[in-house]
Short mmCIF file of all heavy atoms in Angstrom, two decimals:
data_model
loop_
_atom_site.label_atom_id
_atom_site.label_comp_id
_atom_site.label_asym_id
_atom_site.label_seq_id
_atom_site.Cartn_x
_atom_site.Cartn_y
_atom_site.Cartn_z
N PRO A 538 -31.08 -11.06 37.19
CA PRO A 538 -32.07 -12.09 37.58
C PRO A 538 -31.42 -13.40 38.02
O PRO A 538 -31.96 -14.10 38.87
CB PRO A 538 -32.90 -12.31 36.32
CG PRO A 538 -32.03 -11.82 35.24
CD PRO A 538 -31.20 -10.70 35.79
N LEU A 539 -30.22 -13.71 37.51
CA LEU A 539 -29.54 -14.91 37.92
C LEU A 539 -29.16 -14.87 39.37
O LEU A 539 -29.42 -15.83 40.12
CB LEU A 539 -28.29 -15.11 37.04
CG LEU A 539 -27.64 -16.49 37.02
CD1 LEU A 539 -28.60 -17.55 36.49
CD2 LEU A 539 -26.37 -16.44 36.13
N VAL A 540 -28.60 -13.75 39.82
CA VAL A 540 -28.19 -13.60 41.22
C VAL A 540 -29.42 -13.54 42.12
O VAL A 540 -29.44 -14.16 43.19
CB VAL A 540 -27.32 -12.34 41.38
CG1 VAL A 540 -27.04 -12.07 42.85
CG2 VAL A 540 -25.99 -12.56 40.66
N ILE A 541 -30.45 -12.79 41.70
CA ILE A 541 -31.66 -12.71 42.52
C ILE A 541 -32.31 -14.08 42.68
O ILE A 541 -32.73 -14.47 43.79
CB ILE A 541 -32.65 -11.70 41.90
CG1 ILE A 541 -32.08 -10.30 41.93
CG2 ILE A 541 -33.98 -11.75 42.60
CD1 ILE A 541 -32.93 -9.28 41.17
N GLY A 542 -32.42 -14.81 41.58
CA GLY A 542 -33.01 -16.17 41.68
C GLY A 542 -32.20 -17.10 42.55
O GLY A 542 -32.76 -17.86 43.34
N ALA A 543 -30.85 -17.05 42.41
CA ALA A 543 -30.01 -17.92 43.23
C ALA A 543 -30.12 -17.55 44.70
O ALA A 543 -30.20 -18.42 45.58
CB ALA A 543 -28.57 -17.81 42.78
N GLY A 544 -30.14 -16.23 44.99
CA GLY A 544 -30.33 -15.84 46.39
C GLY A 544 -31.68 -16.26 46.95
O GLY A 544 -31.77 -16.68 48.09
N TRP A 545 -32.72 -16.14 46.16
CA TRP A 545 -34.04 -16.57 46.59
C TRP A 545 -34.03 -18.08 46.87
O TRP A 545 -34.61 -18.53 47.90
CB TRP A 545 -35.04 -16.22 45.48
CG TRP A 545 -36.49 -16.51 45.81
CD1 TRP A 545 -37.00 -17.05 46.93
CD2 TRP A 545 -37.59 -16.24 44.93
NE1 TRP A 545 -38.36 -17.16 46.84
CE2 TRP A 545 -38.76 -16.66 45.63
CE3 TRP A 545 -37.73 -15.70 43.65
CZ2 TRP A 545 -40.01 -16.56 45.05
CZ3 TRP A 545 -38.98 -15.59 43.12
CH2 TRP A 545 -40.12 -16.03 43.80
N ALA A 546 -33.41 -18.85 46.00
CA ALA A 546 -33.39 -20.31 46.19
C ALA A 546 -32.60 -20.66 47.44
O ALA A 546 -33.04 -21.55 48.24
CB ALA A 546 -32.78 -20.98 44.99
N LEU A 547 -31.44 -20.02 47.67
CA LEU A 547 -30.62 -20.31 48.83
C LEU A 547 -31.29 -19.88 50.15
O LEU A 547 -31.07 -20.48 51.19
CB LEU A 547 -29.25 -19.65 48.69
CG LEU A 547 -28.36 -20.19 47.59
CD1 LEU A 547 -27.11 -19.34 47.46
CD2 LEU A 547 -27.98 -21.64 47.87
N ALA A 548 -32.09 -18.80 50.08
CA ALA A 548 -32.75 -18.33 51.28
C ALA A 548 -34.02 -19.10 51.62
O ALA A 548 -34.61 -18.88 52.70
CB ALA A 548 -33.13 -16.84 51.10
N THR A 549 -34.47 -20.01 50.72
CA THR A 549 -35.68 -20.75 50.98
C THR A 549 -35.35 -21.85 52.00
O THR A 549 -34.52 -22.72 51.79
CB THR A 549 -36.17 -21.42 49.69
OG1 THR A 549 -36.44 -20.39 48.73
CG2 THR A 549 -37.46 -22.21 49.95
N PRO A 550 -36.02 -21.85 53.16
CA PRO A 550 -35.71 -22.87 54.18
C PRO A 550 -36.34 -24.20 53.84
O PRO A 550 -37.29 -24.29 53.04
CB PRO A 550 -36.35 -22.26 55.43
CG PRO A 550 -37.49 -21.42 54.91
CD PRO A 550 -37.05 -20.89 53.58
N ALA A 551 -35.78 -25.24 54.41
CA ALA A 551 -36.39 -26.56 54.26
C ALA A 551 -37.74 -26.59 55.03
O ALA A 551 -37.87 -25.98 56.09
CB ALA A 551 -35.47 -27.63 54.83
N PRO A 552 -38.73 -27.26 54.50
CA PRO A 552 -40.06 -27.31 55.14
C PRO A 552 -40.00 -28.07 56.48
O PRO A 552 -39.22 -29.03 56.61
CB PRO A 552 -40.92 -28.01 54.14
CG PRO A 552 -40.02 -28.82 53.32
CD PRO A 552 -38.72 -28.05 53.24
N ASP A 553 -40.75 -27.62 57.46
CA ASP A 553 -40.86 -28.31 58.73
C ASP A 553 -41.86 -29.43 58.71
O ASP A 553 -41.83 -30.31 59.56
CB ASP A 553 -41.20 -27.31 59.84
CG ASP A 553 -40.15 -26.26 60.05
OD1 ASP A 553 -38.95 -26.63 59.98
OD2 ASP A 553 -40.47 -25.08 60.27
N LEU A 554 -42.78 -29.39 57.73
CA LEU A 554 -43.83 -30.39 57.63
C LEU A 554 -44.09 -30.73 56.18
O LEU A 554 -44.27 -29.80 55.36
CB LEU A 554 -45.12 -29.87 58.30
CG LEU A 554 -46.34 -30.83 58.34
CD1 LEU A 554 -46.07 -32.01 59.20
CD2 LEU A 554 -47.56 -30.08 58.80
N LEU A 555 -44.10 -32.01 55.86
CA LEU A 555 -44.42 -32.48 54.54
C LEU A 555 -45.63 -33.39 54.64
O LEU A 555 -45.65 -34.31 55.46
CB LEU A 555 -43.27 -33.21 53.89
CG LEU A 555 -42.06 -32.35 53.44
CD1 LEU A 555 -40.95 -33.28 52.94
CD2 LEU A 555 -42.42 -31.37 52.34
N VAL A 556 -46.61 -33.18 53.77
CA VAL A 556 -47.82 -34.04 53.74
C VAL A 556 -47.94 -34.57 52.32
O VAL A 556 -47.91 -33.79 51.38
CB VAL A 556 -49.07 -33.24 54.15
CG1 VAL A 556 -50.28 -34.18 54.16
CG2 VAL A 556 -48.88 -32.58 55.48
N THR A 557 -48.10 -35.86 52.17
CA THR A 557 -48.27 -36.44 50.84
C THR A 557 -49.61 -36.06 50.26
O THR A 557 -50.51 -35.62 50.94
CB THR A 557 -48.14 -37.95 50.93
OG1 THR A 557 -49.16 -38.49 51.79
CG2 THR A 557 -46.74 -38.41 51.40
N GLY A 558 -49.71 -36.18 48.92
CA GLY A 558 -50.89 -35.74 48.25
C GLY A 558 -52.18 -36.39 48.72
O GLY A 558 -53.21 -35.79 48.70
N ASP A 559 -52.08 -37.68 49.12
CA ASP A 559 -53.30 -38.35 49.58
C ASP A 559 -53.57 -38.14 51.06
O ASP A 559 -54.57 -38.62 51.61
CB ASP A 559 -53.19 -39.85 49.30
CG ASP A 559 -52.01 -40.49 49.98
OD1 ASP A 559 -51.27 -39.80 50.73
OD2 ASP A 559 -51.73 -41.69 49.69
N GLY A 560 -52.65 -37.39 51.75
CA GLY A 560 -52.87 -37.09 53.12
C GLY A 560 -52.58 -38.24 54.09
O GLY A 560 -52.83 -38.12 55.30
N ARG A 561 -52.07 -39.34 53.62
CA ARG A 561 -51.89 -40.51 54.46
C ARG A 561 -50.54 -40.52 55.15
O ARG A 561 -50.35 -41.23 56.12
CB ARG A 561 -52.04 -41.79 53.64
CG ARG A 561 -53.43 -42.00 53.07
CD ARG A 561 -53.52 -43.31 52.32
NE ARG A 561 -53.19 -44.44 53.20
CZ ARG A 561 -54.08 -45.08 53.97
NH1 ARG A 561 -55.31 -44.64 54.04
NH2 ARG A 561 -53.73 -46.12 54.72
N HIS A 562 -49.55 -39.80 54.65
CA HIS A 562 -48.24 -39.80 55.25
C HIS A 562 -47.78 -38.34 55.52
O HIS A 562 -48.04 -37.42 54.78
CB HIS A 562 -47.22 -40.45 54.32
CG HIS A 562 -47.50 -41.89 54.04
ND1 HIS A 562 -48.39 -42.29 53.08
CD2 HIS A 562 -47.02 -43.03 54.63
CE1 HIS A 562 -48.45 -43.63 53.07
NE2 HIS A 562 -47.62 -44.07 53.99
N VAL A 563 -47.10 -38.20 56.68
CA VAL A 563 -46.66 -36.91 57.11
C VAL A 563 -45.22 -37.04 57.56
O VAL A 563 -44.81 -38.02 58.21
CB VAL A 563 -47.50 -36.40 58.31
CG1 VAL A 563 -46.97 -35.05 58.78
CG2 VAL A 563 -48.95 -36.26 57.90
N ALA A 564 -44.36 -36.06 57.15
CA ALA A 564 -42.98 -36.02 57.58
C ALA A 564 -42.80 -34.75 58.42
O ALA A 564 -43.04 -33.67 57.93
CB ALA A 564 -42.01 -36.03 56.39
N ILE A 565 -42.37 -34.93 59.65
CA ILE A 565 -42.18 -33.78 60.56
C ILE A 565 -40.70 -33.61 60.84
O ILE A 565 -40.01 -34.57 61.21
CB ILE A 565 -42.94 -34.02 61.92
CG1 ILE A 565 -44.43 -34.31 61.63
CG2 ILE A 565 -42.77 -32.83 62.82
CD1 ILE A 565 -45.20 -34.74 62.87
N ARG A 566 -40.22 -32.41 60.67
CA ARG A 566 -38.82 -32.11 60.90
C ARG A 566 -38.62 -31.72 62.33
O ARG A 566 -39.25 -30.77 62.81
CB ARG A 566 -38.39 -30.99 59.94
CG ARG A 566 -36.90 -30.71 59.94
CD ARG A 566 -36.61 -29.53 58.97
NE ARG A 566 -35.21 -29.32 58.82
CZ ARG A 566 -34.47 -29.94 57.87
NH1 ARG A 566 -35.02 -30.77 57.02
NH2 ARG A 566 -33.17 -29.68 57.76
N THR A 567 -37.75 -32.42 63.01
CA THR A 567 -37.42 -32.11 64.38
C THR A 567 -35.94 -31.99 64.57
O THR A 567 -35.14 -32.47 63.73
CB THR A 567 -37.90 -33.25 65.35
OG1 THR A 567 -37.25 -34.44 65.01
CG2 THR A 567 -39.41 -33.41 65.22
N ALA A 568 -35.49 -31.26 65.58
CA ALA A 568 -34.06 -31.11 65.90
C ALA A 568 -33.71 -31.92 67.13
O ALA A 568 -34.42 -31.89 68.14
CB ALA A 568 -33.74 -29.63 66.13
N ARG A 569 -32.63 -32.69 67.03
CA ARG A 569 -32.18 -33.52 68.15
C ARG A 569 -30.70 -33.34 68.30
O ARG A 569 -29.96 -33.46 67.32
CB ARG A 569 -32.51 -34.99 67.90
CG ARG A 569 -32.18 -35.86 69.11
CD ARG A 569 -32.48 -37.33 68.82
NE ARG A 569 -31.58 -37.88 67.84
CZ ARG A 569 -31.60 -39.13 67.44
NH1 ARG A 569 -32.53 -39.95 67.90
NH2 ARG A 569 -30.73 -39.58 66.53
N ARG A 570 -30.24 -33.07 69.47
CA ARG A 570 -28.84 -32.89 69.72
C ARG A 570 -28.21 -34.23 70.14
O ARG A 570 -28.69 -34.94 71.05
CB ARG A 570 -28.58 -31.86 70.85
CG ARG A 570 -29.03 -30.48 70.41
CD ARG A 570 -28.56 -29.42 71.37
NE ARG A 570 -28.94 -28.08 70.93
CZ ARG A 570 -28.23 -27.36 70.07
NH1 ARG A 570 -27.09 -27.86 69.60
NH2 ARG A 570 -28.63 -26.16 69.70
N SER A 571 -27.15 -34.54 69.45
CA SER A 571 -26.45 -35.79 69.74
C SER A 571 -24.96 -35.54 69.55
O SER A 571 -24.50 -35.12 68.51
CB SER A 571 -26.90 -36.90 68.80
OG SER A 571 -26.17 -38.08 69.02
N GLY A 572 -24.15 -35.77 70.63
CA GLY A 572 -22.73 -35.54 70.51
C GLY A 572 -22.36 -34.08 70.38
O GLY A 572 -21.38 -33.76 69.73
N GLY A 573 -23.22 -33.17 70.90
CA GLY A 573 -22.93 -31.76 70.79
C GLY A 573 -23.34 -31.14 69.49
O GLY A 573 -23.20 -29.91 69.30
N ALA A 574 -23.83 -31.89 68.54
CA ALA A 574 -24.21 -31.35 67.23
C ALA A 574 -25.72 -31.56 67.05
O ALA A 574 -26.29 -32.57 67.41
CB ALA A 574 -23.46 -32.01 66.11
N ALA A 575 -26.35 -30.57 66.47
CA ALA A 575 -27.79 -30.64 66.21
C ALA A 575 -28.01 -31.33 64.88
O ALA A 575 -27.41 -30.93 63.90
CB ALA A 575 -28.40 -29.24 66.19
N ARG A 576 -28.88 -32.32 64.85
CA ARG A 576 -29.18 -33.00 63.59
C ARG A 576 -30.67 -33.00 63.35
O ARG A 576 -31.46 -33.12 64.32
CB ARG A 576 -28.68 -34.46 63.68
CG ARG A 576 -27.16 -34.58 63.59
CD ARG A 576 -26.74 -36.00 63.36
NE ARG A 576 -26.60 -36.69 64.63
CZ ARG A 576 -26.22 -37.97 64.71
NH1 ARG A 576 -25.98 -38.66 63.63
NH2 ARG A 576 -26.12 -38.57 65.88
N SER A 577 -31.06 -32.84 62.10
CA SER A 577 -32.48 -32.81 61.73
C SER A 577 -32.93 -34.22 61.37
O SER A 577 -32.24 -34.96 60.73
CB SER A 577 -32.68 -31.89 60.54
OG SER A 577 -32.56 -30.54 60.94
N HIS A 578 -34.13 -34.51 61.82
CA HIS A 578 -34.74 -35.81 61.51
C HIS A 578 -36.15 -35.57 61.01
O HIS A 578 -36.80 -34.57 61.39
CB HIS A 578 -34.78 -36.71 62.76
CG HIS A 578 -33.39 -37.09 63.24
ND1 HIS A 578 -32.73 -38.23 62.81
CD2 HIS A 578 -32.55 -36.45 64.06
CE1 HIS A 578 -31.58 -38.30 63.40
NE2 HIS A 578 -31.41 -37.22 64.17
N ARG A 579 -36.66 -36.48 60.23
CA ARG A 579 -38.05 -36.43 59.77
C ARG A 579 -38.70 -37.70 60.23
O ARG A 579 -38.26 -38.81 59.88
CB ARG A 579 -38.12 -36.29 58.25
CG ARG A 579 -37.72 -34.92 57.76
CD ARG A 579 -37.87 -34.80 56.27
NE ARG A 579 -36.97 -35.76 55.61
CZ ARG A 579 -37.00 -35.96 54.29
NH1 ARG A 579 -37.88 -35.36 53.55
NH2 ARG A 579 -36.17 -36.84 53.75
N ARG A 580 -39.75 -37.54 61.04
CA ARG A 580 -40.47 -38.69 61.54
C ARG A 580 -41.64 -38.97 60.60
O ARG A 580 -42.49 -38.09 60.38
CB ARG A 580 -40.97 -38.40 62.97
CG ARG A 580 -41.53 -39.62 63.69
CD ARG A 580 -41.88 -39.26 65.12
NE ARG A 580 -40.69 -38.91 65.88
CZ ARG A 580 -39.94 -39.81 66.52
NH1 ARG A 580 -40.25 -41.07 66.44
NH2 ARG A 580 -38.91 -39.46 67.22
N LEU A 581 -41.63 -40.18 60.02
CA LEU A 581 -42.62 -40.52 59.02
C LEU A 581 -43.81 -41.19 59.69
O LEU A 581 -43.66 -42.10 60.50
CB LEU A 581 -42.05 -41.48 57.98
CG LEU A 581 -40.75 -40.98 57.31
CD1 LEU A 581 -40.27 -41.95 56.29
CD2 LEU A 581 -41.03 -39.61 56.62
N CYS A 582 -45.01 -40.69 59.42
CA CYS A 582 -46.23 -41.21 60.02
C CYS A 582 -47.22 -41.63 58.99
O CYS A 582 -47.19 -41.16 57.86
CB CYS A 582 -46.86 -40.12 60.91
SG CYS A 582 -45.74 -39.45 62.15
N ALA A 583 -48.08 -42.53 59.37
CA ALA A 583 -49.20 -42.92 58.48
C ALA A 583 -50.45 -43.05 59.37
O ALA A 583 -50.38 -43.47 60.54
CB ALA A 583 -48.91 -44.23 57.80
N ARG A 584 -51.60 -42.66 58.81
CA ARG A 584 -52.82 -42.74 59.56
C ARG A 584 -53.35 -44.14 59.59
O ARG A 584 -53.36 -44.82 58.59
CB ARG A 584 -53.85 -41.79 58.97
CG ARG A 584 -53.42 -40.32 59.05
CD ARG A 584 -54.55 -39.41 58.55
NE ARG A 584 -54.93 -39.79 57.21
CZ ARG A 584 -55.93 -39.20 56.55
NH1 ARG A 584 -56.69 -38.32 57.16
NH2 ARG A 584 -56.21 -39.55 55.34
N ASP A 585 -53.80 -44.56 60.76
CA ASP A 585 -54.47 -45.90 60.84
C ASP A 585 -55.92 -45.71 60.54
O ASP A 585 -56.42 -44.66 60.13
CB ASP A 585 -54.18 -46.53 62.20
CG ASP A 585 -54.73 -45.69 63.35
OD1 ASP A 585 -55.51 -44.76 63.09
OD2 ASP A 585 -54.33 -45.95 64.52
N ALA A 586 -56.69 -46.78 60.78
CA ALA A 586 -58.11 -46.76 60.44
C ALA A 586 -58.89 -45.72 61.27
O ALA A 586 -59.93 -45.19 60.84
CB ALA A 586 -58.76 -48.16 60.66
N ARG A 587 -58.37 -45.41 62.49
CA ARG A 587 -59.03 -44.40 63.33
C ARG A 587 -58.49 -42.97 63.09
O ARG A 587 -58.87 -42.06 63.78
CB ARG A 587 -58.84 -44.77 64.81
CG ARG A 587 -59.48 -46.12 65.14
CD ARG A 587 -59.26 -46.42 66.62
NE ARG A 587 -59.80 -47.71 66.96
CZ ARG A 587 -59.74 -48.24 68.20
NH1 ARG A 587 -59.12 -47.59 69.16
NH2 ARG A 587 -60.28 -49.41 68.44
N GLY A 588 -57.59 -42.83 62.17
CA GLY A 588 -57.04 -41.54 61.89
C GLY A 588 -55.87 -41.15 62.76
O GLY A 588 -55.35 -40.06 62.65
N LYS A 589 -55.42 -42.06 63.66
CA LYS A 589 -54.29 -41.72 64.51
C LYS A 589 -52.99 -42.01 63.78
O LYS A 589 -52.94 -42.84 62.88
CB LYS A 589 -54.37 -42.60 65.78
CG LYS A 589 -55.56 -42.25 66.66
CD LYS A 589 -55.54 -43.05 67.93
CE LYS A 589 -56.75 -42.70 68.83
NZ LYS A 589 -56.72 -43.45 70.11
N CYS A 590 -51.97 -41.32 64.20
CA CYS A 590 -50.66 -41.41 63.54
C CYS A 590 -49.89 -42.59 64.09
O CYS A 590 -49.71 -42.72 65.30
CB CYS A 590 -49.86 -40.12 63.71
SG CYS A 590 -48.31 -40.12 62.88
N ARG A 591 -49.44 -43.46 63.19
CA ARG A 591 -48.56 -44.57 63.60
C ARG A 591 -47.15 -44.27 63.01
O ARG A 591 -46.99 -44.03 61.84
CB ARG A 591 -49.09 -45.86 62.99
CG ARG A 591 -50.42 -46.28 63.52
CD ARG A 591 -50.87 -47.59 62.92
NE ARG A 591 -51.30 -47.39 61.54
CZ ARG A 591 -50.61 -47.81 60.52
NH1 ARG A 591 -49.43 -48.43 60.64
NH2 ARG A 591 -51.07 -47.62 59.29
N VAL A 592 -46.12 -44.34 63.85
CA VAL A 592 -44.79 -44.08 63.41
C VAL A 592 -44.30 -45.21 62.49
O VAL A 592 -44.33 -46.37 62.88
CB VAL A 592 -43.82 -43.92 64.63
CG1 VAL A 592 -42.40 -43.76 64.11
CG2 VAL A 592 -44.22 -42.74 65.46
N ARG A 593 -43.90 -44.84 61.27
CA ARG A 593 -43.40 -45.84 60.34
C ARG A 593 -41.87 -45.92 60.34
O ARG A 593 -41.34 -46.97 60.04
CB ARG A 593 -43.86 -45.43 58.91
CG ARG A 593 -45.32 -45.76 58.64
CD ARG A 593 -45.47 -47.28 58.38
NE ARG A 593 -46.87 -47.55 58.03
CZ ARG A 593 -47.31 -47.53 56.79
NH1 ARG A 593 -46.50 -47.20 55.80
NH2 ARG A 593 -48.56 -47.84 56.53
N GLY A 594 -41.22 -44.85 60.59
CA GLY A 594 -39.76 -44.87 60.50
C GLY A 594 -39.20 -43.50 60.63
O GLY A 594 -39.88 -42.56 60.95
N ARG A 595 -37.88 -43.39 60.40
CA ARG A 595 -37.20 -42.15 60.60
C ARG A 595 -36.15 -42.02 59.53
O ARG A 595 -35.51 -42.98 59.14
CB ARG A 595 -36.58 -42.08 61.98
CG ARG A 595 -35.94 -40.80 62.37
CD ARG A 595 -35.36 -40.89 63.76
NE ARG A 595 -36.45 -40.91 64.73
CZ ARG A 595 -36.42 -41.72 65.81
NH1 ARG A 595 -35.37 -42.52 66.00
NH2 ARG A 595 -37.39 -41.68 66.67
N SER A 596 -35.97 -40.78 58.96
CA SER A 596 -35.00 -40.58 57.92
C SER A 596 -34.19 -39.34 58.22
O SER A 596 -34.67 -38.43 58.91
CB SER A 596 -35.62 -40.47 56.55
OG SER A 596 -36.40 -39.32 56.45
#
Side-chain angles (χ1 to χ4, degrees):
L539 197 60
V540 171
I541 294 173
W545 184 0
L547 292 173
T549 302
D553 295 321
L554 180 68
L555 289 175
V556 182
T557 58
D559 57 6
R561 295 183 59 84
H562 297 83
V563 178
I565 305 172
R566 189 182 186 88
T567 61
R569 185 181 69 179
R570 295 192 177 274
S571 176
R576 287 192 272 180
S577 287
H578 295 269
R579 288 182 297 172
R580 190 175 295 274
L581 305 180
C582 304
R584 296 184 302 176
D585 59 15
R587 299 180 181 179
K589 295 183 178 181
C590 181
R591 296 180 286 108
V592 176
R593 282 284 184 90
R595 185 179 290 139
S596 66

